[in-house]
């Protein structure tokens, strides 16, 4: 599966899914803190060395095993670093869709700005 949608299209798609799933409270603070919680979960997965096993997942959903997608995902990907990073991005994009943020434009502008900054942005340690 290759995603061919733009970031803005994904933002709208994820926001619609969020509404369809019953998450209609538009509390900005809560939405942003949920992104932070997903990033924290990604950090914990990294600390525990929990990474997605894509080969195991793909083998599980193909013949001769042919287990269900949900089971294969839960066995091989769920709660991994990659899974939590994906959750973080999905939540951020849903936030952009909900708040009509043209994230593609802002990413492009920020990238251009960062290219104009000095080495380590003027001496930052990291």
């Amino acid at each position: 599966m290759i995603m061919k949608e733009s970031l803005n299209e994904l933002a709208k798609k994820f926001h619609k899914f969020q509404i369809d799933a019953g998450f209609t409270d538009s509390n900005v603070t809560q939405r942003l803190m949920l992104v932070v919680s997903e990033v924290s979960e990604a950090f914990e997965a990294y600390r525990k060395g929990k990474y997605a096993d894509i080969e195991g997942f793909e083998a599980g959903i193909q013949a001769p095993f042919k287990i269900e997608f949900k089971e294969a995902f839960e066995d091989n990907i769920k709660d991994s670093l990659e899974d939590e990073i994906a959750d973080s991005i999905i939540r951020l994009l849903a936030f952009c869709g909900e708040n009509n943020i043209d994230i593609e434009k802002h990413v492009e502008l920020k990238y251009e700005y960062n290219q104009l900054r000095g080495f380590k942005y003027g001496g930052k340690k990291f």
Side-chain angles (χ1 to χ4, degrees):
M1 175 178 90
I2 297 174
M3 298 179 89
K4 297 181 181 177
E5 295 159 294
S6 71
L7 291 176
N8 286 336
E9 290 168 336
L10 288 171
K12 291 174 189 167
K13 177 181 177 176
F14 295 151
H15 175 56
K16 182 183 180 324
F17 175 79
Q18 180 177 283
I19 291 170
D20 293 346
F23 299 104
T24 56
D25 180 11
S26 295
N27 181 319
V28 170
T29 304
Q30 183 182 61
R31 292 269 191 248
L32 291 174
M33 289 311 297
L34 286 169
V35 173
V36 171
S37 74
E38 296 296 350
V39 172
S40 295
E41 290 173 5
F43 175 66
E44 285 303 311
Y46 172 76
R47 285 181 66 207
K48 295 175 182 175
K50 183 141 175 37
Y51 300 99
D53 178 5
I54 295 298
E55 285 121 19
F57 169 76
E58 290 175 344
I61 60 173
Q62 296 174 11
F65 304 112
K66 210 63 161 158
I67 62 175
E68 294 294 320
F69 178 93
K70 186 174 188 269
E71 183 182 345
F73 187 92
E74 289 171 351
D75 289 347
N76 298 285
I77 298 174
K78 182 93 174 90
D79 300 326
S80 66
L81 171 67
E82 297 89 344
D83 183 40
E84 299 302 345
I85 293 293
D87 280 342
S88 304
I89 292 168
I90 289 167
R91 284 199 181 274
L92 274 173
L93 288 175
F95 181 85
C96 292
E98 182 177 11
N99 292 282
N100 297 311
I101 295 170
D102 182 346
I103 193 58
E104 291 173 17
K105 186 63 169 178
H106 287 281
V107 168
E108 288 174 16
L109 291 171
K110 188 63 178 191
Y111 178 71
E112 286 182 40
Y113 172 75
N114 283 345
Q115 288 181 312
L116 300 173
R117 300 173 80 180
F119 182 73
K120 287 197 175 181
Y121 300 162
K124 292 184 180 181
K125 192 170 185 173
F126 53 88

